């Protein structure tokens, strides 16, 4: 499914700095990092936004969160902390309409976010 840039990454049509992948998901470094560690975790299944996730996707959504924690540990962020963000629709800053979880860390993170 290559309807978005992330679909093309899933299909291997464009390169990405992949840090983890399995049968359900791929994680790769963000092209425009907002912190020393900025990784995107995406399902292989092309769900456009969190609004489009269905009950049948519940296990997949859980796997995405568990992957974030695994990758955070891999990146040495488990103890110091990190942030996971899902931007849903344009008002929240979503620009790529293939569901993705941002994993951000490696610097102090302010709250509330902008
Ligand atoms: P969002 O604003 O939540 O839709 O985040 C999209 C992110 O995707 C943004 O931080 C920049 C990143 N991005 C956009 N195009 C590419 C790409 O081709 N490769 C990679 N690795 N990241 C991309």
């Amino acid at each position: 499914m290559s309807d978005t840039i992330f679909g093309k990454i899933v299909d291997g049509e464009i390169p990405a700095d992949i840090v983890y992948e399995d049968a359900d998901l791929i994680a790769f470094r963000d092209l425009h990092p907002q912190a020393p560690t900025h990784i995107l975790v995406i399902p292989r299944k092309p769900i456009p936004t969190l609004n489009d996730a269905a009950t049948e996707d519940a296990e997949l959504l859980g796997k995405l969160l568990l992957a974030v924690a695994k990758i955070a540990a891999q990146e040495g962020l488990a103890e110091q902390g990190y942030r996971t963000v899902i931007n849903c629709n344009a008002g929240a800053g979503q620009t790529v309409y293939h569901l993705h979880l941002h994993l951000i860390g490696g610097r102090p993170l302010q709250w509330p976010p902008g």
Side-chain angles (χ1 to χ4, degrees), residues 7 15 20 24 26-27 32-33 37-38 43 46-47 51 57 60 75-76 95 104:
Y20 176 81
D24 300 300
I26 300 183
H32 306 294
T37 298
H38 189 169
I47 301 168
N51 290 340
D57 297 315
L60 178 59
E75 295 285 317
T95 58
I104 296 165

Side-chain angles (χ1 to χ4, degrees), residues 9-10 18 20-22 24-28 40-44:
I9 289 173
V10 169
I18 293 172
Y20 176 81
E21 63 181 316
D22 63 27
D24 300 300
L25 59 93
I26 300 183
F28 52 90
L40 301 170
V41 183
I42 74 170
R44 291 185 186 276

Side-chain angles (χ1 to χ4, degrees), residues 41-99:
V41 183
I42 74 170
R44 291 185 186 276
K45 179 180 177 180
I47 301 168
T49 79
L50 187 57
N51 290 340
D52 301 301
T55 304
E56 69 188 32
D57 297 315
E59 187 178 355
L60 178 59
L61 294 172
K63 287 178 176 178
L64 289 165
L65 280 175
L66 290 170
V68 167
K70 180 185 289 191
I71 296 161
Q74 193 174 291
E75 295 285 317
L77 294 173
E79 296 307 320
Q80 76 177 78
Y82 56 91
R83 184 168 294 160
T84 303
V85 172
I86 299 174
N87 295 324
C88 183
N89 277 334
Q94 185 173 5
T95 58
V96 180
Y97 285 80
H98 182 126
L99 180 65

